[in-house]
Structure formats: structure tokens, C-alpha cells
Amino acid sequence: MKCSAGALGIVVGVGLFTAACGSASQLEGELEGPGLEVMWGKPGTQDPNGTPKHAWHTWKEPLVGALKRPLLQSDHTFNPEIVDVGFLDDPEGEEVFDHAFRCAVAKDTVVIHGDREYKGRGAVIGASGWVNGGLEMDVIYNVLECVIAFVNDKTDGVDVLLTGANMNDDKGDHDGFIYSEAVWCANVVPPGFVGVEVYATESFEKECGYDIEEALKRRYCYQEGSCGLEYMGLVTENSVCEPIGPAEDGHYRCKGKPCTMTWLKNPKPHWCERDRRPRLRPD
């Protein structure tokens, strides 16, 4: 078996992967039974778990506007235009802003605002330019995907690894992330609505044991029918998606743009368990 060492990735606290040595079919969940050992850790970036779903869907559109503006002033304080949006005055807004800061801003860059410290992790390649100027939309999409990967209401330790051509590597130990979940492709529809197209993997379809579209809605959506998630089927069966490099690296381009894949340690996360699923609120 051949292992690829060229993958880039990021681990966020929602549930992603570290690759095992093996073929793409193996990484799509076709190995069965006990004894699967991780021989090689896919690169990624570790981070704390979870952005509450209500917080994300309340603040995702204002976040796009913030990412289009310079983050900092010349004195290394936050741009007043971003402060005035209100993120930092609302606990949920601050949660979303903090995750975006970690995703975009270079590793170990620290900004103090009031009694709060914000520290970058540099997850998204090319996004560190946010400190001095607004980001281009192709980079904004990847920052949104990075935050989207955190979105779930489970704060009790769901682990996630992100991979993608535009994700950095923190050189950490990511053994155990052997179950691919889905490819997430953020989009912004005028006048600014944030949506996401999601393509499940064969591994997730096999291991989840529940309707895949519904499981992904339980993971990401807050209100039935209003979260902007569009399920696109299996990534390996969708003609608009193609792997970038070896398939086992977890790098995909869909509709012409690099997107972000999530990988899990747990083959059957909370959103696949019928008796533990939170109910969605009606519109």
C-alpha cells in the first residue's frame, strides 16, 4: 500500500479524520471488522469543539461582511467597522467571530479586546491577509467552511479533522481520524445569504445507519427548512466533484472550486443516532 504525505488538513472540534495507510476504497469505509490500525496520520489542525447552530445561523451573514473588511487598525486593535457589527457584544456572535479568527488569522497572532484574548490558528491558506485587508470571495468560502465544520450543538467532545487543498497543517498527531464524513462547499447568494452544499462520502452513508440527508441536517441546521444546507448526494457519484491529487488525501474540487472535507474518529456520530437527535424547531 502507498501512503501520500502531501495532504493538508485542519482539525476542528466537530468530528473529522486522520488518514490510514491504504487505498481510497479503504478510506471510504470498505474495511470491516476490528483490527483496522492507523498507520499514518493525515495532517490537520486541532481546535476546540463546537459552534452552536443557533449562533452560526444568526451571525453567518454578518461574518461575510466582516471578512470583506480589514480586521485590524494600524495600532493592532480591531477595526471599528467590525466591532460595530455587534459580534463582541453578544455571546453567540463572539463564539462565531472567535472561530472565524482562529480559522483565518495566522498561528499565534494575538489580539486583546476588552478582557478577551483572540488567538489565530491559521487554518485556511491565504486567509491571514484579513488582518490588513478584506479577503477575496474564494478565500472567504474556505473560511466559512472552516467555521461550518464546527457547527453542531454537541460540546462534549465530538472531534473533527478538516482536509482540503486550501487547509494548512499544524504538524500535530491526528491518528484516529479514519472515517470520512462529507465535503462542504460554502456559497454566498446575493444579497448575502450564506448557504452550503454538502456531499456525503460512502463511508458516512455506510456507517451512519440513518438517512444521510437528515443526519447532516441534524448536525448543521437549527430551524427546519431554513438553514441553507443543500444535500448533493455522494461525492464519489457526483459529476461536479473531482479529487485533487490522490483520493485518499481528502482534497476535492466541486463546481470548479476547492472545498473542505470533514473526517471523524467516531463512525456513528451523535447526529446519526435516532434516539439522541435534537429536534429541529419549526419555521
Side-chain angles (χ1 to χ4, degrees):
M1 287 188 292
K2 180 181 178 182
C3 288
S4 170
L8 296 177
I10 137 182
V11 175
V12 283
V14 166
L16 280 206
F17 150 104
T18 275
C21 242
S23 68
S25 64
Q26 289 172 332
L27 294 174
E28 284 301 310
E30 295 182 8
L31 287 181
E32 297 184 6
L36 175 61
E37 296 182 358
V38 177
M39 301 297 292
W40 170 72
K42 183 179 288 295
T45 302
Q46 298 192 38
D47 215 19
N49 181 69
T51 294
K53 292 183 288 186
H54 182 265
W56 170 246
H57 294 295
T58 299
W59 288 97
K60 60 186 181 181
E61 278 83 24
L63 178 61
V64 173
L67 291 168
K68 291 180 178 180
R69 297 179 171 92
L71 176 65
L72 302 182
Q73 301 185 99
S74 59
D75 62 358
H76 204 64
T77 59
F78 285 135
N79 181 349
E81 292 183 352
I82 292 179
V83 174
D84 288 346
V85 173
F87 291 104
L88 307 181
D89 296 324
D90 176 83
E92 289 193 339
E94 186 176 49
E95 182 98 21
V96 172
F97 178 82
D98 185 44
H99 282 309
F101 189 99
R102 297 204 304 271
C103 286
V105 178
K107 186 177 180 180
D108 296 331
T109 297
V110 176
V111 176
I112 306 296
H113 183 83
D115 59 356
R116 181 71 186 268
E117 178 181 273
Y118 298 88
K119 190 172 183 179
R121 297 192 61 84
V124 178
I125 294 172
S128 62
W130 185 27
V131 298
N132 296 316
L135 298 177
E136 298 295 329
M137 282 307 303
D138 58 341
V139 181
I140 288 175
Y141 289 140
N142 293 133
V143 174
L144 295 175
E145 290 156 10
C146 176
V147 183
I148 283 168
F150 292 95
V151 175
N152 72 98
D153 282 340
K154 288 292 182 181
T155 58
D156 56 352
V158 182
D159 296 315
V160 177
L161 174 72
L162 306 187
T163 61
N166 292 338
M167 291 292 161
N168 270 315
D169 171 26
D170 70 357
K171 310 299 182 183
D173 178 4
H174 307 136
D175 288 348
F177 292 95
I178 61 175
Y179 300 101
S180 57
E181 183 192 27
V183 173
W184 306 78
C185 301
N187 55 70
V188 178
V189 181
F193 177 76
V194 175
V196 62
E197 295 176 345
V198 61
Y199 305 78
T201 67
E202 293 176 13
S203 173
F204 188 62
E205 180 187 52
K206 178 179 179 179
E207 300 289 348
C208 181
Y210 185 67
D211 180 272
I212 302 305
E213 181 176 2
E214 289 302 312
L216 291 168
K217 286 180 179 178
R218 294 291 175 181
R219 181 222 211 278
Y220 179 75
C221 295
Y222 176 67
Q223 291 184 322
E224 187 73 48
S226 64
C227 72
L229 181 144
E230 184 175 359
Y231 178 62
M232 304 295 288
L234 298 182
V235 66
T236 51
E237 297 179 1
N238 203 306
S239 62
V240 303
C241 293
E242 59 181 358
I244 305 173
E248 63 265 30
D249 284 358
H251 295 190
Y252 276 87
R253 180 187 292 109
C254 298
K255 297 184 178 179
K257 66 179 183 181
C259 296
T260 302
M261 177 178 273
T262 51
W263 300 79
L264 311 172
K265 286 184 176 181
N266 179 1
K268 192 169 184 177
H270 297 285
W271 37 93
C272 291
E273 298 178 13
R274 185 183 301 271
D275 61 339
R276 298 175 67 176
R277 292 177 298 134
R279 294 184 179 275
L280 296 183
R281 299 180 181 223
D283 288 335

